[in-house]
Amino acid sequence: LPRDADALAQQPYIDTATPVVQTSVTLRYRSTSVTAQVSGVGENYFRVRGLELAEGRFFDRDGVRASAQEVVIDQNTLRSLFEGSANVLGEVIMLGKVPCRVVGVTKKKDSNFGDSENLNLWVPYTTGMGRMTGQDYLRNITVRVADSVSTAVAEQSIVKLLTMRHGTKDFFVSNLDAIRQTMEKTTQTMT
């Protein structure tokens, strides 16, 4: 539930937390039509994932509360829909049947897994849930652990809090720091 993300965000071992819902849609802009992954996220998602703006702005808490029809797009979407057009801010694109105004474009983010050609777009999670998927549950909650806290300790605390809130452990936790450490060890071994 979105309230779980709010509860996590209040914990001292969490820097920020954001709900996430995802769906695949057909994007349309003028005569161009492509398939893309749309993520409904909270206003803190961009900080949690370390995404930066190339231009425009991210949506804010007011946009989330209002289920705003605002979208932030990545560089792949910019190239695919707008073919390198210089000014896309304010343009309206169709995400399935939902018109959304482009408010921001993210910078290209380097990945350890190579360059992805996927098209990624982000809308407020309330927009994703209410206008696109119709679901009343979250696919996941992404958190950024406070710098002063061990990720292992934070993970244990997250499991304890959510189990208490749900009355059972009906979720799983994925610790990206543990995955990163495993990748570093594998890379060192190969070197």
Side-chain angles (χ1 to χ4, degrees), residues 51-64:
L51 293 171
E52 297 178 5
L53 284 169
E55 60 181 308
R57 64 176 176 82
F58 296 126
F59 46 82
D60 58 16
R61 181 177 296 270
D62 290 337
V64 172

Side-chain angles (χ1 to χ4, degrees), residues 3 26 34 47 50 59 63-64 68 71 86-87 94 97 100 104 109 133 135 138 153 180 186-187 191:
R3 290 188 306 266
T26 299
V34 293
R47 174 172 166 73
F59 46 82
V64 172
V71 62
N87 189 11
M94 295 298 292
K97 296 180 179 181
C100 289
K109 185 171 176 155
T133 67
Q135 69 190 48
L138 296 175
V153 169
R180 180 190 56 80
T186 302
T187 302
T191 302

Side-chain angles (χ1 to χ4, degrees), residues 34-126:
V34 293
T35 301
Q37 182 75 27
V38 176
S39 298
V41 299
E43 69 275 9
N44 293 320
Y45 177 83
F46 306 100
R47 174 172 166 73
V48 170
R49 297 304 300 240
L51 293 171
E52 297 178 5
L53 284 169
E55 60 181 308
R57 64 176 176 82
F58 296 126
F59 46 82
D60 58 16
R61 181 177 296 270
D62 290 337
V64 172
R65 282 190 190 123
S67 299
Q69 289 174 242
E70 299 176 334
V71 62
V72 175
I73 65 174
D74 70 353
Q75 293 292 318
N76 292 340
T77 306
L78 177 68
R79 278 191 304 279
S80 294
L81 281 187
F82 299 100
E83 299 174 0
S85 182
N87 189 11
V88 300
L89 298 179
E91 293 293 329
V92 175
I93 60 177
M94 295 298 292
L95 281 61
K97 296 180 179 181
V98 181
C100 289
R101 185 169 310 280
V102 177
V103 296
V105 180
T106 61
K107 288 182 180 176
K108 184 173 176 69
K109 185 171 176 155
D110 293 329
S111 169
N112 293 334
F113 302 105
D115 288 339
S116 171
E117 294 301 315
N118 294 339
L119 307 183
N120 295 292
L121 300 92
W122 301 273
V123 297
Y125 75 89
T126 50

Side-chain angles (χ1 to χ4, degrees), residues 144-187:
R144 179 177 178 153
V145 175
D147 290 338
S148 61
V149 179
S150 149
T151 57
V153 169
E155 182 178 345
Q156 291 171 354
S157 299
I158 289 167
V159 169
K160 184 177 179 180
L161 175 68
L162 292 180
T163 302
M164 181 184 73
R165 289 177 61 82
H166 294 199
T168 184
K169 188 173 183 241
D170 58 355
F171 57 90
F172 67 92
V173 177
S174 178
N175 184 335
L176 293 181
D177 192 46
I179 295 168
R180 180 190 56 80
Q181 290 172 7
T182 301
M183 285 177 47
E184 286 175 357
K185 287 179 185 174
T186 302
T187 302

